[in-house]
Amino acid sequence: MSRYFSYLNSAKEILSLYSGDEPFASFIKKYFAKYKKFGSKDRKQISHLCYCYFRLGTALNNIPAEERILIGLFLCSPQSNEVLKELRPEWNEKAQVSVEEKLSMFNVQRSTLNLFPFQDELTEGIDIGQFILSHLEQPDLFLRLRPGKELIVKQKLEKAGIGFSQLANACIALPNSSGVDSVIELNMEAVVQDYSSQKTGELLANLKAQTENHKLEVWDCCAASGGKSMMLYDLDPTIGLTVSDVREPILTNLRKRFKEAGIKKYQSFVIDLTKPVNSLKLQTFNLIICDAPCSGSGTWGRTPEQLVYFKKDKIDKYALLQRQIISNTISQLKPGGYFLYITCSVFKKENEEIAESIRKGFNFHLIKMELLKGYDKKADTMFAALLQKPL
């Protein structure tokens, strides 16, 4: 049996063992740690076959797993592939044709490709066809170049032979497998941050000039690893910065990144924002950033197993969680202050419906609401809404 059949059989076995209870990246890492017979190339090939299978989502799910894996590989391969060359040479010869032409070989049209579930839940403004097909591609890796480090980062990447494209003055895109951590000093020189995440910073332009004493007191209430706080610091190093998250290990990672980035003046604490925060006697802020826990549906190109395992009822559960967090944080906003609500979701119940509930429920002024499309740039798709509290 050729090693390519072996790759296919191993992928089939791994997929049969996976239940969706944890990220697939974590699951397959544990699998390979247990079965040490796989070399580096084996692991890479088998992992890729599994991810190609997931990228089909709910499409073509009435055919055997082996065939579905290979169809996924075919649709995800823009050029010749050694596995296809061995196992499906007639497909491999057509690897460079359009996805539409490939689908026609299986009597499937793009308009009927049921790859992404829950299309009726999508936020307004999404090009459904383009969005769906974007899941057949691995998204890029994006760097935000820190002020004064733009030239040195690009010089280091060029010297290392790592290709990149520049999307904005401080934003570059690279292939996802680029080993940039061994080439540049992450967090000090550049921050790994998705293109759409970087775009949220544009909503904060000129806020400082409109705040009391021109001083921004900011609470990043669901800070996670701190990417947006680091971006805001680079936009205005004079800000008063407070960060929080419900998970202490996440804040430990944030503090490490802040130290590497040279950010020293800030407050951090663990808090469960599904409960009232009044007992903490927090100060009030003129900007609260709420990058809320969500379905992550705008990032499923990076975690395509969610196309298969995500359950629709979770959308309502996340929307309820988001409303709880907003209700328990918005009281800490000063009169005239700003509330920036962000998700990496493409579902309207988590996006415009939540923004509208803030506007109506708290009598806020909606300054801007935006779908941050990333599906046409091999990036995540996000949503952001900036609202202002009445004076």
Side-chain angles (χ1 to χ4, degrees):
M1 182 173 66
S2 78
R3 68 178 184 273
Y4 301 106
F5 276 112
S6 178
Y7 292 157
L8 184 60
N9 287 334
S10 295
K12 181 186 174 184
E13 179 186 0
I14 291 168
L15 290 168
S16 71
L17 295 172
Y18 180 63
S19 62
D21 293 335
E22 63 179 311
F24 183 70
S26 172
F27 175 85
I28 198 169
K29 183 177 181 181
K30 293 176 185 175
Y31 180 90
F32 287 140
K34 183 178 180 181
Y35 299 100
K36 301 184 184 300
K37 63 180 180 179
F38 299 104
S40 175
K41 183 177 180 180
D42 299 333
R43 295 194 299 270
K44 184 177 180 180
Q45 290 277 15
I46 294 166
S47 298
H48 183 58
L49 289 175
C50 291
Y51 277 111
C52 288
Y53 173 91
F54 287 133
R55 290 188 187 283
L56 286 181
T58 53
L60 305 172
N61 57 7
N62 59 341
I63 57 178
E66 299 97 323
E67 194 72 2
R68 202 163 181 270
I69 292 169
L70 291 174
I71 291 174
L73 177 62
F74 177 50
L75 293 177
C76 294
S77 299
Q79 55 194 13
S80 179
N81 176 279
E82 61 182 89
V83 177
L84 285 176
K85 186 176 181 180
E86 175 71 20
L87 302 183
R88 290 292 187 277
E90 70 278 13
W91 293 1
N92 190 58
E93 291 175 2
K94 297 184 178 181
Q96 293 180 318
V97 306
S98 69
V99 173
E100 284 83 356
E101 290 179 77
K102 291 179 180 180
L103 289 172
S104 68
M105 294 169 55
F106 308 106
N107 296 316
V108 176
Q109 294 181 337
R110 188 174 87 164
S111 60
T112 60
L113 183 65
N114 189 25
L115 186 156
F116 187 90
F118 327 126
Q119 293 178 31
D120 57 333
E121 298 283 346
L122 290 175
T123 284
E124 296 293 327
I126 290 178
D127 181 322
I128 295 178
Q130 190 175 19
F131 173 68
I132 286 173
L133 291 187
S134 72
H135 292 86
L136 296 174
E137 290 186 295
Q138 168 72 31
D140 278 339
L141 172 72
F142 294 88
L143 294 180
R144 181 179 62 79
L145 311 182
R146 301 198 65 204
K149 305 294 184 180
E150 296 89 350
L151 183 59
I152 190 171
V153 169
K154 289 186 280 188
Q155 287 176 337
K156 285 185 175 183
L157 293 174
E158 289 169 352
K159 185 177 180 180
I162 298 177
F164 62 87
S165 58
Q166 189 152 3
L167 278 69
N169 288 339
C171 179
I172 60 175
L174 312 92
N176 198 269
S177 58
S178 302
V180 296
D181 53 338
S182 61
V183 176
I184 64 172
E185 295 187 64
L186 286 179
N187 300 319
M188 188 182 85
E189 295 178 334
V191 177
V192 175
Q193 186 175 18
D194 185 77
Y195 169 79
S196 295
S197 181
Q198 294 186 42
K199 292 284 286 184
T200 63
E202 295 178 7
L203 278 75
L204 301 175
N206 303 318
L207 286 194
K208 179 181 178 181
Q210 301 171 44
T211 55
E212 183 181 0
N213 299 322
H214 303 307
K215 172 74 172 179
L216 271 177
E217 294 291 343
V218 182
W219 180 20
D220 189 351
C221 65
C222 302
S225 59
K228 292 179 182 64
S229 286
M230 294 168 74
M231 178 173 63
L232 190 57
Y233 174 87
D234 283 347
L235 291 171
D236 177 13
T238 69
I239 61 172
L241 184 58
T242 298
V243 295
S244 65
D245 199 273
V246 71
R247 303 154 294 181
E248 176 60 42
I250 294 294
L251 283 182
T252 299
N253 181 47
L254 176 148
R255 295 180 189 115
K256 176 178 178 291
R257 295 184 77 202
F258 276 19
K259 183 177 180 180
E260 293 168 347
I263 301 174
K264 300 176 181 178
K265 292 184 178 180
Y266 66 96
Q267 299 180 66
S268 65
F269 56 89
V270 174
I271 187 170
D272 181 356
L273 292 174
T274 63
K275 300 173 183 177
V277 302
N278 299 338
S279 60
L280 291 178
K281 297 181 180 179
L282 285 173
Q283 69 179 87
T284 54
F285 304 88
N286 43 32
L287 171 62
I288 295 177
I289 300 174
C290 181
D291 190 351
C294 69
S295 63
S297 47
T299 69
W300 288 355
R302 301 184 190 278
T303 56
E305 66 269 22
Q306 294 293 334
L307 294 167
V308 177
Y309 286 98
F310 186 84
K311 303 300 182 185
K312 188 174 182 177
D313 62 355
K314 287 187 177 182
I315 302 174
D316 289 325
K317 291 178 181 177
Y318 277 116
L320 176 60
L321 176 64
Q322 290 148 8
R323 292 172 193 269
Q324 290 176 327
I325 290 173
I326 290 165
S327 179
N328 289 326
T329 56
I330 217 161
S331 59
Q332 302 303 128
L333 199 61
K334 292 180 179 181
Y338 299 90
F339 193 88
L340 179 59
Y341 175 73
I342 303 170
T343 73
C344 51
S345 171
V346 292
F347 296 139
K348 55 181 177 256
K349 287 181 180 177
E350 299 183 273
N351 293 344
E352 56 261 50
E353 289 188 15
I354 296 292
E356 181 64 6
S357 73
I358 300 172
R359 188 186 71 81
K360 283 186 175 180
F362 298 95
N363 194 31
F364 276 35
H365 169 58
L366 177 62
I367 295 175
K368 189 172 185 180
M369 182 170 68
E370 187 173 3
L371 175 69
L372 300 166
K373 299 177 183 179
Y375 54 81
D376 57 347
K377 298 178 181 65
K378 297 183 72 175
D380 299 337
T381 293
M382 300 180 66
F383 173 87
L386 182 65
L387 302 101
Q388 186 174 22
K389 184 176 182 177
L391 290 168

